[in-house]
Amino acid sequence: MLQESIAVKDVSPFHISTPSELLETPKEYQDLVKRQLTAHAEGELSGADDYVKLFYFLTNDPYEKAVCCELAKDELDHYQRAADILLDIGIDTSFMLSQNLNDRAFYATEAVKSCRNWAERALISTLVEDAVIDVLEEMAQSSYRPIADMCPHVLKDEKLHVGHGFRITRSMCKTKNGFKQIQEALISQCGQ
């Protein structure tokens, strides 16, 4: 029997620390970095819009309205962090600030756009934003250091956002009516 051996190329992890170093990488890598970060920037702006244009109007509780504003502020901060990194590599995302929520292609989900009540809002934060955390944890391992360096702060905030959604869900489930609303929201969201 002939034994085949496969030569494994030594692939050491590499790190790109500056925009000028990024320009020395293959175009495919540059395009990937740009696309990933552009999608992230747009997604953060969409998150801010979700909080102040959709979720804010789903409650009459002044505390929850204030939280929506605070979380939108976090999302805008996350956008700005990504926009600054993109600007350093020649991509201006300022046009996104005047875009309509429906004009944004990245992270567009019908579940968020069709959110009708506070229970659905709670589940969106608990489930959808939790999925964003998975993406951010992967981005935190980016070989482009500015992205990796941005992620710990963003992750910390996003985990608080998920926690807020979980708190709302848990609180609603303490009453029979609230539990029913959460169940209906879950059924509604899973059917999307």
Side-chain angles (χ1 to χ4, degrees), residues 16-107:
I16 309 300
S17 298
T18 66
S20 58
E21 288 177 11
L22 180 66
L23 292 175
E24 295 173 12
T25 64
K27 183 179 179 327
E28 183 178 39
Y29 177 81
Q30 292 177 45
D31 290 347
L32 179 64
V33 166
K34 292 172 185 177
R35 180 168 174 77
Q36 180 184 48
L37 201 52
T38 301
H40 174 72
E42 184 184 281
E44 295 293 358
L45 273 181
S46 294
D49 283 348
D50 293 340
Y51 278 111
V52 295
K53 293 181 180 179
L54 300 173
F55 301 157
Y56 181 89
F57 297 100
L58 296 176
T59 184
N60 290 323
D61 183 311
Y63 170 77
E64 295 295 355
K65 285 185 176 291
V67 170
C68 284
C69 293
E70 283 296 317
L71 300 183
K73 181 181 170 204
D74 289 347
E75 301 287 6
L76 285 170
D77 173 68
H78 303 166
Y79 158 78
Q80 191 60 59
R81 289 170 186 269
D84 290 346
I85 296 168
L86 285 163
L87 196 56
D88 285 345
I89 57 176
I91 299 174
D92 181 4
T93 61
S94 61
F95 71 93
M96 291 180 184
L97 293 164
S98 60
Q99 274 184 320
N100 183 298
L101 184 58
N102 293 325
D103 294 335
R104 298 196 186 119
F106 300 112
Y107 293 107

Side-chain angles (χ1 to χ4, degrees), residues 84-142:
D84 290 346
I85 296 168
L86 285 163
L87 196 56
D88 285 345
I89 57 176
I91 299 174
D92 181 4
T93 61
S94 61
F95 71 93
M96 291 180 184
L97 293 164
S98 60
Q99 274 184 320
N100 183 298
L101 184 58
N102 293 325
D103 294 335
R104 298 196 186 119
F106 300 112
Y107 293 107
T109 63
E110 288 306 311
V112 175
K113 290 179 183 178
S114 64
C115 185
R116 300 165 298 187
N117 58 52
W118 200 240
E120 289 179 7
R121 176 263 182 271
L123 288 176
I124 286 168
S125 286
T126 304
L127 303 173
V128 175
E129 289 193 84
D130 190 50
V132 171
I133 287 174
D134 292 339
V135 173
L136 286 166
E137 287 174 341
E138 191 172 308
M139 287 174 64
Q141 303 302 314
S142 177

